[in-house]
Amino acid sequence: MKILTRNQTSSTYYFLITVVSAVGILFSCSPKQGVAGTKTITAEHLAQGKVVFDNSCGKCHDLPNPSDHNAQDWVGIMNSMAPKAKLNEEQHQMVYDYIVSVK
Ligand code: HEC
């Protein structure tokens, strides 16, 4: 019983090392942020989101106030506004993350 426990512990340990190095390799190869699943929100990502927001979201109406809606509502609003503002998927995500971060 004791041996079994020790084996499980060490395989968990090796599994973690594998995951950590795999994530390291993934991120070193890919500069993209905000990819679903392995999402890492950086200050740079949010700053880019603000730039896109400032430039794209005040064209047809006043620049919206992030605190007017909750994070859940913003999902739906962004789904209808991102195509209007012609945002690509990455811009859509960074604008959403920016809005939710300032509210
Ligand atoms: C091409 C014009 C256009 C652009 C660009 C645009 N919007 Fe809008 N937006 C509208 C119109 C029209 C409405 C009102 C009708 C509607 O809700 O579809 C609206 C409504 C809204 C509302 C109010 C929705 C509600 O339920 O109260 C919010 C918030 C909003 N837009 C956010 C944004 C954000 C964020 C962006 C940038 C990603 C953006 N809009 C870009 C046209 C635009």
Side-chain angles (χ1 to χ4, degrees):
M1 199 55 185
K2 254 186 187 162
I3 291 168
L4 190 74
T5 310
R6 209 179 297 151
N7 281 345
Q8 278 177 335
T9 308
S10 67
S11 51
T12 305
Y13 185 61
Y14 286 125
F15 174 73
L16 279 178
I17 290 180
T18 312
V19 168
V20 168
S21 37
V23 167
I25 291 165
L26 207 75
F27 275 93
S28 63
C29 294
S30 155
K32 269 194 186 169
Q33 301 290 344
V35 179
T38 56
K39 197 163 81 177
T40 307
I41 298 180
T42 61
E44 192 196 352
H45 174 84
L46 295 179
Q48 284 178 328
K50 177 175 167 42
V51 170
V52 176
F53 175 79
D54 288 348
N55 290 330
S56 314
C57 301
K59 283 182 183 163
C60 305
H61 42 64
D62 289 344
L63 212 52
N65 182 353
S67 52
D68 282 353
H69 306 275
N70 63 33
Q72 188 58 47
D73 288 345
W74 276 114
V75 173
I77 293 168
M78 282 304 295
N79 283 343
S80 64
M81 291 300 143
K84 284 195 204 294
K86 300 190 165 49
L87 304 188
N88 66 28
E89 222 170 282
E90 198 182 357
Q91 292 168 323
H92 178 158
Q93 186 66 51
M94 60 178 61
V95 169
Y96 176 79
D97 291 335
Y98 163 70
I99 288 172
V100 173
S101 78
V102 292
K103 58 177 250 68

